[in-house]
């Protein structure tokens, strides 16, 4: 394989991870979650802004209109699927599309662990919970980042640009973790 082919292959692999204007970013492993968590919503908001509502609000519940004699605080009743209007189906399909989009953004080995979730919102929240962790895990991650920062040093043979890139990445990670 010549150097041009290798570069093209590396570019394709990076495009799959970080996404492009037409390709959704993919989550391949836990180490890439922070970057994916930032890129995925940006992709959704850029390509289909209204879809993000399904991640934030959850699926739309299709209900019957409240009767004139029903009190305002009476619970709404779900509409029978056979009674859905074209507008109702569009709402359901938008939620389904959001769910399909997030599942396609997960590598197969990651998606396997989240098959029990059936809505975009529940899957998004489960991913956040698993990969960001509870308070103890967040504190441990912060301690690890502080240690990396304190031990940050030049690596023999490393270019200044590479060192600055590592430092910038570390600062971004610390900012995302709420340290700075």
């Amino acid at each position: 394989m010549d150097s041009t082919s290798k570069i093209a292959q590396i570019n394709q692999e990076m495009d799959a991870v970080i996404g492009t204007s037409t390709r959704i970013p993919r989550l391949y492993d836990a180490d890439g979650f922070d970057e994916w968590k930032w890129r995925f919503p940006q992709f959704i908001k850029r390509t289909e802004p209204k879809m993000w509502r399904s991640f934030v609000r959850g699926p739309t519940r299709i209900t019957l209109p409240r009767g004139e004699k029903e009190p305002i605080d009476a619970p709404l009743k779900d509409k029978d699927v056979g009674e859905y209007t074209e507008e109702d189906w569009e709402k359901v399909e938008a939620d389904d599309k959001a769910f399909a989009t997030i599942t396609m953004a997960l590598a197969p080995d990651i998606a396997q662990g989240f098959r029990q979730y059936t809505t975009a919102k529940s899957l998004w929240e489960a991913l956040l919970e698993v990969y960001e962790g509870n308070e103890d895990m967040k504190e441990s991650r912060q301690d690890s980042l502080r240690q990396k920062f304190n031990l940050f040093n030049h690596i023999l043979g490393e270019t200044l640009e590479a060192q600055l890139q590592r430092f910038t990445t570390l600062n971004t990670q610390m900012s995302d973790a709420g340290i700075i």
Side-chain angles (χ1 to χ4, degrees):
M1 183 181 274
D2 66 350
S3 63
T4 306
S5 298
K6 287 180 184 177
I7 291 171
Q9 181 181 1
I10 290 170
N11 283 339
Q12 285 180 333
E13 290 170 4
M14 287 303 297
D15 286 351
V17 172
I18 64 173
T20 65
S21 62
T22 58
R23 183 184 290 168
I24 195 163
R26 302 248 354 234
L27 178 61
Y28 284 100
D29 58 34
D31 292 337
F33 181 76
D34 286 338
E35 182 68 14
W36 179 83
K37 182 184 105 178
W38 183 79
R39 287 182 181 275
F40 178 76
Q42 303 312 314
F43 178 85
I44 297 299
K45 291 172 186 176
R46 185 193 126 345
T47 56
E48 297 209 31
K50 291 180 182 176
M51 185 190 300
W52 187 244
R53 294 177 192 165
S54 293
F55 292 94
V56 176
R57 295 182 189 163
T60 303
R61 187 172 159 218
I62 309 298
T63 58
L64 292 168
R66 188 171 277 126
E68 290 179 23
K69 296 179 182 177
E70 287 184 77
I72 298 219
D73 58 347
L76 294 172
K77 297 174 186 159
D78 288 335
K79 192 185 268 190
D80 211 18
V81 174
E83 299 175 10
Y84 280 11
T85 64
E86 196 60 36
E87 185 180 321
D88 294 337
W89 279 114
E90 286 176 15
K91 290 175 185 176
V92 169
E93 289 165 357
D95 291 331
D96 291 345
K97 186 174 183 178
F99 179 70
T101 302
I102 193 170
T103 58
M104 288 186 292
L106 303 176
D109 56 331
I110 290 177
Q112 240 174 4
F114 294 91
R115 295 240 167 103
Q116 70 269 32
Y117 299 97
T118 57
T119 68
K121 180 179 178 160
S122 65
L123 180 53
W124 176 255
E125 289 173 348
L127 288 165
L128 293 176
E129 185 176 321
V130 167
Y131 289 108
E132 288 185 340
N134 59 24
E135 289 304 314
D136 289 338
M137 288 178 68
K138 289 177 185 178
E139 194 173 312
S140 176
R141 188 176 302 120
Q142 287 177 342
D143 290 344
S144 174
L145 288 168
R146 283 187 191 98
Q147 184 178 14
K148 276 185 182 179
F149 182 80
N150 290 332
L151 296 174
F152 188 86
N153 205 345
H154 176 74
I155 298 172
L156 188 62
E158 180 181 39
T159 65
L160 181 59
E161 290 83 13
Q163 185 179 10
L164 286 171
Q165 181 59 48
R166 278 191 315 116
F167 187 73
T168 302
T169 300
L170 181 57
N171 273 321
T172 302
Q173 290 172 337
M174 290 175 72
S175 177
D176 289 346
I179 297 171
I180 55 174

